Amino acid sequence: MTSTLITGIGELTTNDPEVSGTALVLEGDRIVWVGHGEPAADTRVHVEGRAVLPGWVDSHTHLVFAGDRTAEFGARMAGKPYTAGGIAVTVGATRAASDEELAANLERHVAEALRQGTTCVETKTGYGLSVADEVRSAKLAEEHVDEVTFLGAHLVPAGADPDEYVDLVCGDMLDAVAPHVRWADVFCETGAFDEDQSRAVLRAAAAKGLGLRVHGNQLGEGPGVRLAVELGAASVDHCTYLSDKDVELLAGSDTVATLLPACDLSTRQPLPNARGLLDAGATVALASNCNPGSSYTSSMAFCVATAVLQMRMSVEEAVRAATLGGARALRRDDVGVIRPGARADLHVLAAPSTTHLAYRPGVPLTHAVWRAGVRAL
């Protein structure tokens, strides 16, 4: 296997307190050495004092879709509130699209994210909402992203009986999709699925051997966090409206609080209480929630800058949340870190430190990217 020495690192973020240095060696798809000095390698890349960090781990996206919701966004910016119902617009467009159209759109968004330093991506189904369309979405996703989540419980399709649809999600749909996904999720929210329905979906998925995730506490306080912690979900995502009890539950569990600040800005919701979560001892992740309706961005750097500038997170906390936090939300230890044995996912900034991500918001700062040992930029 070919080895590559990356040297001349000005600031190295490893997310491992026992690992530091100014150089590292990649071999195949792994990091094999981190430290000081310049060991022998087949090739050598000098990054001239730039900052190096793990590739972003975007643990919450919705990238299998077709269509556009620009009109909805414009109306929302003019004062119309966000509701879960807009998802139905994307469902219609996604069902009407060909496999080739969906795959091309998915590939475009994954490539767009990679150019910005995102090297590990989770994405969900949820814009099919029929057995055939959810299976199609899952199969397409598993070809192009690292982690796939079944989100048949995204919205009750127009005209369907809610209880009958939940039975379908827990039965034939889950049976058909399960071989192609690692996770299951549910939109536990007013206008989507209530606590009993959400619990039924999550329990059925767990019985199938899938890991659990929850969309919760986005539009108001509700049962999402409590349900996620009760059932041992890896992550509860949004966490925009949290009670003191919710924060306490998260801090006392290994369920990650995944915050989606770009979504909150786009929907004109309050930003989550990141400071309260961190101070309580909860594990926090940042993710893009890239989707056509409520957060149409793949920029993890934007999420990091927002977290620092508006959510009272330090740069170190925000970068950690967007790398190691995302990895923990996906129950992975091979990404989001720089240490021997980890996947060779690197993000080299066109800046001497990660502080520039918030110090220079909106400025493209990705200089180079390696994913699984292959230079992508």
Side-chain angles (χ1 to χ4, degrees), residues 5-28:
L5 168 67
I6 298 175
T7 188
I9 298 171
E11 176 189 89
L12 180 64
T13 299
T14 66
N15 289 332
D16 186 327
E18 297 183 0
V19 179
S20 63
T22 57
L24 54 89
V25 175
L26 315 180
E27 187 172 282

Side-chain angles (χ1 to χ4, degrees), residues 60 237-238 258-265 272 285-289 295 303:
H60 184 126
D237 300 22
H238 286 291
T258 299
L259 311 183
L260 312 171
C263 178
D264 295 309
L265 291 174
L286 290 171
S288 73
N289 191 24
S295 186
C303 297

Side-chain angles (χ1 to χ4, degrees), residues 133-371:
D133 286 299
E134 286 294 295
V135 170
R136 178 171 73 138
S137 294
K139 287 181 175 179
L140 289 169
E142 70 177 333
E143 293 178 10
H144 297 288
V145 303
D146 301 86
E147 301 277 344
V148 185
T149 300
F150 168 50
L151 185 57
H154 200 185
L155 191 73
V156 177
D161 176 82
D163 291 332
E164 290 179 0
Y165 183 69
V166 169
D167 288 343
L168 177 66
V169 170
C170 295
D172 291 348
M173 190 181 289
L174 176 61
D175 290 342
V177 173
H180 308 287
V181 303
R182 183 183 175 205
W183 304 97
D185 199 343
V186 60
F187 192 8
C188 181
E189 194 67 66
T190 300
F193 296 87
D194 65 23
E195 180 175 358
D196 290 342
Q197 293 168 333
S198 297
R199 181 179 282 104
V201 170
L202 294 171
R203 282 181 170 169
K208 274 286 186 181
L210 300 183
L212 305 182
R213 325 187 69 75
V214 176
H215 279 60
N217 299 66
Q218 177 186 5
L219 305 178
E221 290 186 21
V225 167
R226 175 167 44 81
L227 188 59
V229 172
E230 173 194 327
L231 297 180
S235 179
V236 57
D237 300 22
H238 286 291
C239 295
T240 309
Y241 294 90
L242 298 179
S243 67
D244 291 343
K245 182 62 176 177
D246 290 329
V247 174
E248 180 184 337
L249 285 170
L250 287 165
S253 75
D254 62 357
T255 297
V256 175
T258 299
L259 311 183
L260 312 171
C263 178
D264 295 309
L265 291 174
S266 176
T267 58
R268 291 188 167 165
Q269 299 288 310
L271 288 164
N273 182 12
R275 187 75 266 140
L277 285 163
L278 289 165
D279 290 346
T283 301
V284 171
L286 290 171
S288 73
N289 191 24
C290 185
N291 75 84
S294 62
S295 186
Y296 198 13
T297 181
S298 57
S299 175
M300 289 290 284
F302 174 74
C303 297
V304 166
T306 300
V308 174
L309 295 173
Q310 299 191 45
M311 295 163 60
R312 298 177 58 211
M313 293 179 75
S314 69
V315 174
E316 181 181 5
E317 287 169 339
V319 168
R320 184 180 178 89
T323 51
L324 184 62
R328 288 180 172 171
L330 295 171
R331 296 288 192 260
R332 294 184 65 146
D333 59 10
D334 63 328
V335 295
V337 293
I338 293 176
R339 63 181 173 222
R343 198 169 79 178
D345 291 358
L346 304 177
H347 185 190
V348 183
L349 299 183
S353 74
T354 56
T355 301
H356 284 241
L357 291 162
Y359 180 47
R360 305 193 68 208
V363 176
L365 291 178
T366 298
H367 173 75
V369 179
W370 277 262
R371 182 188 179 280

Side-chain angles (χ1 to χ4, degrees), residues 65-74 86-94 105 108-109 291-294 296:
F65 71 88
D68 178 275
R69 283 159 67 184
T70 304
E72 177 189 322
F73 175 80
I87 294 166
V89 175
T90 303
V91 170
T94 302
N105 199 45
R108 177 171 65 86
H109 286 96
N291 75 84
S294 62
Y296 198 13

